[in-house]
Amino acid sequence: QVQFVESGGGSVQPGGSLRLSCAGSGIIFRRYAMGWYRQAPGKQRDLVARININGLTTYADSVKDRFTISRGNANDAMYLQMNSLKPEDTAVYYCNAYPSIWQYWGQGTQVTVSS
């Protein structure tokens, strides 16, 4: 099976920044809209950012103006630039197609924002 692989998470203080990376199938990156998802303990996994095949991006209200989703110019990677991080951003972050492909969920990367 093929899974997306997320990296770049870590522990930062409020107001800090992180840049997450996603590696996976180039075919999927080119054919489907892609999204970044996050899941905090005890909460549902939610879509926080999406980029369609034409480059149009959308964001959840909770991250709008702070997060930026982008696709690599070779369409073999995807990124999430996270600025002005807040404690409520603490979660495991995942990348996947949108709509998601269940077989390709990876392990995610932990983002912890605390003082």
Side-chain angles (χ1 to χ4, degrees), residues 28-29 31-35 50-53 71 96-99:
I28 299 299
F29 281 121
R31 289 188 174 183
Y32 296 91
M34 297 291 298
R50 182 176 66 227
I51 183 167
N52 72 8
I53 58 175
R71 184 184 289 112
N96 208 325
Y98 182 84

Side-chain angles (χ1 to χ4, degrees), residues 8 15 54 71 85 94 104 110:
N54 300 123
R71 184 184 289 112
L85 284 162
Y94 303 85
Y104 292 167
Q110 176 72 49

